[in-house]
Amino acid sequence: PNIVDGTHRVVSAFDATHDPQNGCDISVIVEKIRESEDTRVKYVIWDKRIFSSSAVGGVAAWEWRDYSGANPHSKHCHISVLSSKTKYDDEASWTIS
């Protein structure tokens, strides 16, 4: 938890396992999130790629770029939301249908 909200510590990220045989195809899910440009998203890492909701290093917002971190995130994705309470506490549905 990197956010302090009063007396609570908040985790603003989520990892989801890629398991298409059981209905969780992360490739489809992260692409739907990217296409939706959901205002809660800070960045998403999946399969050696990353996109962010803001431009980074000359790459436009919402565009994939290479990711070379120690964990390639090839068996799960990492979804990070913005640290604003209005973003991390937003209970609206995600557009991934």
Side-chain angles (χ1 to χ4, degrees), residues 46-61:
W46 165 238
D47 201 18
K48 302 178 190 173
R49 299 182 306 159
I50 184 172
F51 68 79
S52 303
S53 59
S54 58
V56 175
V59 178

Side-chain angles (χ1 to χ4, degrees), residues 1-57:
N2 62 345
I3 301 168
V4 177
D5 183 357
T7 60
H8 298 90
R9 297 186 61 82
V10 178
V11 174
S12 61
F14 175 80
D15 288 347
T17 301
H18 180 56
D19 187 7
Q21 292 178 352
N22 290 301
C24 187
D25 187 335
I26 292 302
S27 294
V28 172
I29 292 170
V30 298
E31 194 58 27
K32 294 290 186 180
I33 292 171
R34 189 182 73 81
E35 290 170 358
S36 75
E37 298 185 5
D38 191 296
T39 62
R40 295 170 285 191
V41 172
K42 183 175 182 181
Y43 62 86
V44 173
I45 305 170
W46 165 238
D47 201 18
K48 302 178 190 173
R49 299 182 306 159
I50 184 172
F51 68 79
S52 303
S53 59
S54 58
V56 175

Side-chain angles (χ1 to χ4, degrees), residues 56-89:
V56 175
V59 178
W62 306 107
E63 295 298 320
W64 288 108
R65 61 188 191 280
D66 290 339
Y67 176 77
S68 59
N71 185 328
H73 294 79
S74 57
K75 296 182 180 179
H76 73 280
C77 74
H78 176 88
I79 302 168
S80 182
V81 298
L82 294 166
S83 60
S84 165
K85 184 174 180 65
T86 61
K87 300 299 181 185
Y88 65 74
D89 267 355

